[in-house]
Amino acid sequence: MRVRHVLGAVALASLAGCSSPAPAETAAPAAPEAITVSPGAPRACSDVFVPDKPVVGFNAETGCTNKDGAVQFIGVIDCADGTKLWPVDAATGAPAGFAREDTNFKVVTGEVAADKGYKEAYEECVGPDDAVQVSPAPSAAK
């Protein structure tokens, strides 16, 4: 009787070996993992503020990321006509410059606030009564 049990166990073990997975070289390659990007995730500042390209759809509350991936919040000036003006520092990963909402980003040399073109854009933005709210840029969050 013992011999039958042992032979039965050996037979089961050999059958189980037949259903083992194929060797690694013949196995189908694993499907690549999908990368999910949150719709509200900030874009790179260098992708938002591109020289001579319009700034469209930038969300100042979400900010953008610098080259190290740290979130940068850009100070925004609310213009009298309801648009926004962004002075952008080079530390954001984008070139130093400025843009008004839906207009081309202009690169400046040196400090943005000292640039003649920026001063003109600022004066046009705030209008004659200077009724404007300036939102300072909070420190960068990581």
Side-chain angles (χ1 to χ4, degrees):
M1 192 76 150
R2 256 187 197 188
V3 174
R4 280 190 206 165
H5 289 289
V6 171
L7 288 176
V10 170
L12 279 174
S14 65
L15 286 175
C18 292
S19 64
S20 65
E25 63 267 6
T26 61
E33 289 186 34
I35 298 172
T36 305
V37 178
S38 171
R43 297 184 290 167
C45 296
S46 59
D47 291 341
V48 175
F49 300 103
V50 178
D52 300 320
K53 299 286 182 190
V55 177
V56 179
F58 174 64
N59 183 344
E61 291 180 16
T62 304
C64 54
T65 58
N66 65 16
K67 63 182 177 180
D68 297 326
V71 175
Q72 304 288 302
F73 294 98
I74 309 296
V76 61
I77 299 166
D78 294 319
C79 299
D81 67 356
T83 62
K84 300 185 182 314
L85 174 66
W86 294 288
V88 180
D89 187 87
T92 64
F98 65 94
R100 194 155 171 187
E101 193 170 17
D102 296 325
T103 66
N104 289 349
F105 181 72
K106 299 191 183 348
V107 176
V108 302
T109 304
E111 292 288 321
V112 175
D115 183 77
K116 181 181 177 183
Y118 173 74
K119 288 178 182 178
E120 290 171 3
Y122 176 84
E123 289 172 6
E124 183 181 307
C125 170
V126 297
D129 61 358
D130 289 334
V132 68
Q133 290 187 332
V134 176
S135 300
S139 61
K142 290 192 180 198

